[in-house]
Amino acid sequence: AWSDGYVNYEQLKKMLVAMIESGSIQQFNDNTVFSPISVATSEEVLRPIGPSEHDFLEAIENEIDKVNKFTSSIVKELEGQAAEMIALKDSCFSGGSSSNDIESIVKKVDDVGTGLQRLEDFVNL
């Protein structure tokens, strides 16, 4: 399903919220007062509970990989359909063609065109 290739923005948003709530991400602005560096040694203080920036970046990379793999699989599928269409066209020209053959070619052209349009729509989301 096409939805399998979409970026899971909901998961990424939840991760950001958890990072903010746990204190592993801070908001800085012009009025931020910087405090001295902590000398804490406790893992609980040094690494707040919840996802870290590294975890978030890793999640983004995983989402990008998911989209790339999905897009590549669709491209391969369309290339296969195009190859079938070309083979059918070649056999029609070399051995004569019937109306069924022509209809089959037209259907394959329509299918590939629809697939390309869906891929373009997906990529442009």
Side-chain angles (χ1 to χ4, degrees):
W2 286 83
S3 60
D4 295 339
Y6 293 151
V7 171
N8 188 344
Y9 290 106
E10 187 65 28
Q11 173 197 4
L12 294 174
K13 183 178 176 182
K14 285 179 183 177
M15 188 175 270
L16 279 175
V17 169
M19 289 170 66
I20 291 168
E21 289 173 352
S22 72
S24 63
I25 188 172
Q26 297 180 8
Q27 297 177 353
F28 293 99
N29 60 39
D30 293 338
N31 299 320
T32 301
V33 176
F34 294 96
S35 61
I37 297 174
S38 171
V39 291
T41 57
S42 167
E43 179 67 22
E44 293 171 356
V45 175
L46 294 175
R47 175 147 168 49
I49 296 172
S52 66
E53 183 177 340
H54 173 77
D55 298 331
F56 181 70
L57 293 175
E58 188 175 298
I60 289 174
E61 285 293 326
N62 290 338
E63 290 298 308
I64 291 169
D65 287 344
K66 176 177 73 174
V67 170
N68 286 340
K69 287 176 185 174
F70 180 78
T71 303
S72 293
S73 71
I74 296 298
V75 167
K76 286 179 184 176
E77 182 181 318
L78 290 171
E79 287 172 342
Q81 290 177 2
E84 289 174 17
M85 183 178 58
I86 291 168
L88 185 58
K89 179 213 41 125
D90 289 346
S91 74
C92 286
F93 284 143
S94 66
S97 60
S98 68
S99 61
N100 286 341
D101 292 336
I102 293 170
E103 287 176 24
S104 181
I105 291 173
V106 169
K107 180 171 179 352
K108 287 201 179 294
V109 168
D110 287 344
D111 290 347
V112 170
T114 300
L116 285 171
Q117 184 60 56
R118 289 183 71 195
L119 178 61
E120 182 178 350
D121 293 345
F122 175 81
V123 169
N124 289 331
L125 282 176

